[in-house]
Amino acid sequence: MLGLLSLLLILAWVGLFAWSAIPLSGTQAMQALFSHPTAQVSDVVVRQLRLPRVLVAGLVGACLATAGALMQGLTRNPLASPGVFGVNAGAALGVALVSTYAGWMGVMGQSSAAILGGGVAWTLVMLLGAAWRPGADKGRLVLAGVAVAALCGALTKASIILAEDQAAGVLTWLAGSVANARWTVWYNLWPVATAGLLAALALAPSLNILAVGDEQARNLGMRLGWVRLAVGIVVLVLVSASVVAAGSIAFVGLLVPHMARALFGIDHRKLLPACCLLGAALVMAADILGRAVAFPSETPAGAVLALIGAPWFIYMVRSRT
């Protein structure tokens, strides 16, 4: 864990100055961060532009990775993730509809729409995939998720087409980027995300019991319905907070839990904190790479992660068929 924390701090530091339109050095970034605020350009760039961007990227990555680990633990499906099961797409649809047709509702309206959209999408996937039936085919659950995600994506695009005035802003947001993250985004994100992450850590022992199977969990006195409901609510809170802050960023919830299991094992008491750190590091790294790809233009972090995650998803599907 100490190594992951060190990696995260290094990436956060690099994110403060790397590939900036206004040339900055690592020393300038550190001075701007720890010295008394001044009106110098380097101070303004680091404190007002780069620091909130780095913090939002890290917290969004932690939320999505933790949500993916919760979904995989709940369904006992290694392909489960907010992106694959349509939760990201449903939340994005809700936010896109509010942003396009009811912008006056603000962040609270977007957050509520994200939770509602993600919840409806996940419920559809669970019903279509027969998730709670004994011996249910895990491949059917994935197919249901892909279908629901495609439907939500199509509805999102249709809403954008019907409201051309808002199309540019919504399309940029849907690409999954933290480029426009400012302190207001951070202030809206961290209370909800922190509460969701703490609740996820509290559910770790229950997820460990779920791993042995439903029948054994019942014999141990677990109330499966309440545990599933609690995990579902926490997942929706984490995903919606991330989608509102940074748009639809896929594959973090799929990749990171597998990386964390390879490093720390299957105990969720260790797995979930590792997912927080690895997810934060992955999104920070993707944001830095996105700046480097076509500098001085920027590639959204979501696009960078898709280039990494899509081949990994195909490999995982093929290895389990």
Side-chain angles (χ1 to χ4, degrees):
M1 289 289 183
L2 186 59
L4 286 180
L5 184 58
S6 300
L7 174 63
L8 186 62
L9 292 175
I10 291 171
L11 287 171
W13 172 61
V14 173
L16 292 176
F17 67 89
W19 286 283
S20 173
I22 298 172
L24 292 172
S25 67
T27 304
Q28 286 177 309
M30 294 296 286
Q31 289 175 346
L33 195 60
F34 293 108
S35 63
H36 186 73
T38 68
Q40 292 182 2
V41 175
S42 59
D43 281 20
V44 174
V45 170
V46 170
R47 289 176 178 272
Q48 301 301 323
L49 300 180
R50 286 302 178 87
L51 183 56
R53 178 173 180 167
V54 166
L55 292 174
V56 169
L59 197 50
V60 165
C63 288
L64 292 176
T66 303
L70 291 176
M71 294 180 75
Q72 290 175 14
L74 179 65
T75 63
R76 296 190 290 277
N77 188 333
L79 296 176
S81 75
V84 175
F85 279 11
V87 181
N88 270 1
L93 173 60
V95 177
L97 290 174
V98 169
S99 300
T100 304
Y101 299 107
W104 53 269
M105 295 180 68
V107 175
M108 289 301 297
Q110 292 177 349
S111 301
S112 302
I115 292 175
L116 179 61
V120 170
W122 195 9
T123 301
L124 285 175
V125 171
M126 293 294 129
L127 292 175
L128 293 173
W132 310 129
R133 291 182 186 174
D137 183 11
K138 294 181 179 179
R140 178 177 174 180
L141 195 61
V142 174
L143 290 175
V146 172
V148 170
L151 174 62
C152 292
L155 292 174
T156 301
K157 292 176 182 176
S159 69
I160 293 172
I161 291 172
L162 294 174
E164 295 182 1
D165 293 341
Q166 303 293 331
V170 175
L171 283 173
T172 302
W173 170 82
L174 285 175
S177 175
V178 293
N180 295 320
R182 300 294 181 264
W183 284 117
T184 52
V185 176
W186 168 254
Y187 293 142
N188 290 322
L189 171 65
W190 80 262
V192 179
T194 302
L197 292 172
L198 291 175
L201 295 175
L203 289 168
S206 299
L207 290 171
N208 285 339
I209 296 174
L210 275 179
V212 303
D214 290 356
E215 191 62 34
Q216 291 85 345
R218 287 194 188 94
N219 292 337
L220 291 170
M222 175 175 285
R223 301 177 68 180
L224 292 180
W226 286 108
V227 172
R228 287 169 176 163
L229 178 62
V231 173
I233 291 173
V234 173
V235 167
L236 289 177
V237 168
L238 293 173
V239 173
S240 354
S242 302
V243 169
V244 171
S248 183
I249 298 179
F251 295 111
V252 178
L254 177 66
L255 288 170
V256 173
H258 290 280
M259 296 165 61
R261 285 191 196 93
L263 293 172
F264 298 99
I266 60 174
D267 185 349
H268 284 84
R269 292 172 297 180
K270 296 180 179 178
L271 180 66
L272 293 178
C275 284
C276 289
L277 296 176
L278 276 171
L282 183 61
V283 176
M284 282 185 188
D287 183 43
I288 294 170
L289 286 174
R291 298 180 221 162
V293 168
F295 183 78
S297 299
E298 293 197 15
T299 303
V304 175
L305 288 166
L307 291 174
I308 301 170
W312 175 257
F313 177 68
I314 294 171
Y315 164 75
M316 291 187 64
V317 171
R318 288 181 59 86
S319 67
R320 286 168 171 77
T321 55

